[in-house]
Amino acid sequence: MIKQVSIFLENKEGRLGRVLKILGENNINIRALSIAETADFGILRLIVNKPEQALVVLKNAGFLVSETDVLAIEVPDTPGGLAATLEPLAESEINIEYMYAFLAKKSDNAIVIFRVEDSKKAIEVLNSIGLQVLSGETIYSL
Amino acid sequence: MYWNPAAECMPRPQLAELQLERLKSVVERVYYNVPFYRHAFQDKGLEPGDIKSLDDLRYLPFTTKQDLRDNYPYGMFAVPLSEIVRVHASSGTTGKPTVVGYTRKDLNTWSELMARTLTCGGTTKDSVIQIAYGYGLFTGGLGAHYGAERIGASVIPISGGNTKRQIMLMKDFGTTVLACTPSYAIYLAEVMKEMDIEPGELKLKYGIFGAEPWSENMRKEIEDQLGISAIDIYGLSEIIGPGVASECQCKNGLHIFEDHFIPEIIDPVTQETLPYGQPGELVFTTITKEGIPVIRYRTRDISFLYPEVCACGRTHIRMGRITGRTDDMLIIRGVNVFPSQVESVLLEIGETEPHYQLIVDRIGNLDELKILVEVSENMFSDKIGGLEHLEKTIHDRIEAVLNISAKVKLVEPKTIPRSEGKAVRVIDNRKI
């Protein structure tokens, strides 16, 4: 499973920049990010190469952060690639809370990060159709 | 379990008779011995002889904390200093502290009332009681101490702080009763967990908690984590210290020790006395105190009174949990709003130390209330839905409590400005 760093951000100028600057100064590299927002606040979700360290430096800088377990899979970067993967999850009544994707370097695949309530069950379903979830080490060191 | 059943279960007619006799006596004492009261009575055209029934109490002048400050340090004392055997003072967050003095008889009364309080909480002569309220000028530590000694319990006068040592002694000395603030009880439970000590390893059975507002949720948390039965107690140094009112094991309101204090609830704005059941400012008249008797002392605490006889058999009137303070009351769209009502909502939602700010604006002709709430770690979720749900829960509960719809905005930790450690609770932008 992958450690995602979630950060609470108010919708005001400079907050996102501040997070990115702190990570840069601490030599922490971002693999993927997504932002979910309402009118007043947002949640910044990050996959970084050093999640534990990111958690500490952001917390020390006064940010409200938490660590969440998410899953990552590789899907073919072709039309319909993601749909084929998600179908079995829906059939097993596994609800995806949120997801985001990015392209892997040096490969023809896309990497999809997603969060479900029951990660263990999701992994079983994915394994049953021959898909391996990616390990933390794989993602962090991309 | 009673300490003094004759006093605590006294039939109401007999109690009223006793109160009137004592009220007349205190009115006379303050009139002749305290210039402040003599002037205040004269301003209202009153003489001690005008007080003929308990109802006449409502004609007497009020006393405020400011009056005590204006007469700093000893101006409100009703006896010469030679009769005073103890002085306590409450911390003054602004300006000078308020000073109170006790005669030997006052200390005797205080010990009696704390003996009743601690008995309500489960203390007996066989108890080992750890008193983790602060000792010193603060009334908490010594008040509980003398009450426990009166009962004959074994007293551990450890005072506050040094948490690991508290826990070690609790275990080694076989403490059965803990007396401290509720937030310290929660902290003790947390440290115990860190030290890998299970409640089962302790002999702790009862907790007697007060000196700050807390919630039913906090009670449940403390009771579960420490494996005890916890009661709420109430007091303030201007009245006597702890020992003004105490819950019994029914845990449904706090019995006010009415043979020594007469409570009233008033509207903080009109100063009219309110009927039972209505929330308002709690006011006390001390009817037996010698050192510094106070007439209609305005506590600034918001509560209500209910006169029904309790299942425990005590006849003394009960007050509800303190739900707010009048100091920073706001009137929004004609409704009295106390910031601490917002605090109590956040406490119920599970925040032990909520940080919030009320911002009032007038847009057009309409008042608007916005409430900023700092999101804490235990509120935070990586899901937007979780935070939106939290916002809505806070909004709905506040609407239920205040009868006003407020805009709730979640903000990042430590973004609400603090002055000297305390958050600035209210910003009123209305130009009226």
Side-chain angles (χ1 to χ4, degrees), chain B residues 75-94:
Chain B
M76 296 290 273
F77 287 14
V79 297
L81 211 50
S82 57
E83 297 300 310
I84 296 291
V85 296
R86 174 97 64 78
V87 172
H88 280 283
S90 73
S91 61
T93 39
T94 48

Side-chain angles (χ1 to χ4, degrees), chain B residues 73-142:
Chain B
Y74 301 143
M76 296 290 273
F77 287 14
V79 297
L81 211 50
S82 57
E83 297 300 310
I84 296 291
V85 296
R86 174 97 64 78
V87 172
H88 280 283
S90 73
S91 61
T93 39
T94 48
K96 301 270 192 193
T98 46
V99 181
V100 292
Y102 300 74
T103 64
R104 196 167 299 285
K105 181 172 163 240
D106 290 336
L107 286 185
N108 190 37
T109 303
W110 193 17
S111 305
E112 151 82 18
L113 297 184
M114 278 311 290
R116 290 187 199 172
T117 298
L118 298 173
T119 303
C120 275
T123 315
T124 68
K125 65 181 285 296
D126 298 321
S127 301
V128 177
I129 180 169
Q130 186 154 336
I131 297 175
Y133 285 114
Y135 278 64
L137 283 177
F138 172 58
T139 50
L142 283 167

Side-chain angles (χ1 to χ4, degrees), chain A:
Chain A
M1 261 181 284
I2 319 290
K3 300 278 181 216
Q4 170 191 277
V5 179
S6 312
I7 303 134
F8 180 79
L9 290 179
E10 270 176 70
N11 277 4
K12 56 183 185 193
E13 62 285 355
R15 297 307 289 163
L16 177 60
R18 177 102 184 97
V19 172
L20 301 178
K21 188 152 181 277
I22 290 166
L23 294 178
E25 281 167 359
N26 286 279
N27 212 13
I28 296 168
N29 208 348
I30 300 171
R31 296 284 166 246
L33 72 79
S34 90
I35 296 180
E37 88 281 353
T38 70
D40 291 330
F41 61 82
I43 300 170
L44 172 63
R45 301 172 183 135
L46 294 176
I47 305 293
V48 297
N49 60 343
K50 292 179 267 186
E52 303 300 336
Q53 199 195 337
L55 213 61
V56 172
V57 295
L58 290 172
K59 205 172 265 189
N60 288 345
F63 283 97
L64 184 58
V65 280
S66 73
E67 194 184 66
T68 317
D69 285 332
V70 291
L71 301 178
I73 48 169
E74 240 175 325
V75 297
D77 183 19
T78 53
L82 180 57
T85 312
L86 294 188
E87 219 168 294
L89 289 176
E91 277 164 12
S92 308
E93 291 179 349
I94 293 173
N95 183 32
I96 294 177
E97 315 256 7
Y98 56 79
M99 63 184 293
Y100 45 105
F102 59 103
L103 283 175
K105 291 183 231 171
K106 303 173 215 149
S107 103
D108 292 333
N109 287 339
I111 292 171
V112 179
I113 307 280
F114 59 100
R115 157 92 144 98
V116 293
E117 206 51 65
D118 189 346
S119 299
K120 230 178 109 191
K121 194 171 156 202
I123 293 173
E124 276 169 25
V125 171
L126 292 167
N127 286 346
S128 73
I129 57 164
L131 266 175
Q132 291 299 318
V133 298
L134 300 175
S135 70
E137 287 68 40
T138 312
I139 293 291
Y140 306 147
S141 62
L142 273 177

Side-chain angles (χ1 to χ4, degrees), chain B residues 353 355 416-425:
Chain B
E353 208 194 326
H355 291 290
I416 292 175
R418 280 139 170 89
S419 66
E420 289 168 27
K422 283 187 181 174
V424 179
R425 295 292 187 216

Side-chain angles (χ1 to χ4, degrees), chain B residues 133-246:
Chain B
Y133 285 114
Y135 278 64
L137 283 177
F138 172 58
T139 50
L142 283 167
H145 182 99
Y146 278 75
E149 282 196 352
R150 176 65 60 91
I151 292 173
S154 313
V155 180
I156 307 172
I158 190 162
S159 194
N162 211 339
T163 307
K164 286 194 173 159
R165 191 176 148 86
Q166 296 262 6
I167 294 166
M168 180 186 86
L169 296 192
M170 209 179 277
K171 196 171 165 210
D172 297 348
F173 290 7
T175 300
T176 59
V177 181
L178 172 66
C180 62
T181 61
S183 55
Y184 192 60
I186 286 190
Y187 183 64
L188 274 169
E190 280 167 12
V191 177
M192 257 171 63
K193 221 178 274 172
E194 280 167 25
M195 292 167 72
D196 273 329
I197 294 177
E198 295 283 324
E201 295 173 53
L202 305 177
K203 292 194 174 142
L204 211 53
K205 282 194 196 67
Y206 298 103
I208 290 151
F209 304 125
E212 64 186 20
W214 51 311
S215 64
E216 277 308 312
N217 279 351
M218 274 174 84
R219 167 158 31 214
K220 200 173 170 306
E221 193 180 333
I222 294 171
E223 290 190 330
D224 289 350
Q225 292 191 2
L226 291 176
I228 59 172
S229 171
I231 63 158
D232 185 18
I233 68 170
Y234 175 80
L236 61 170
S237 63
E238 294 85 347
I239 304 305
I240 201 159
V244 175
S246 170

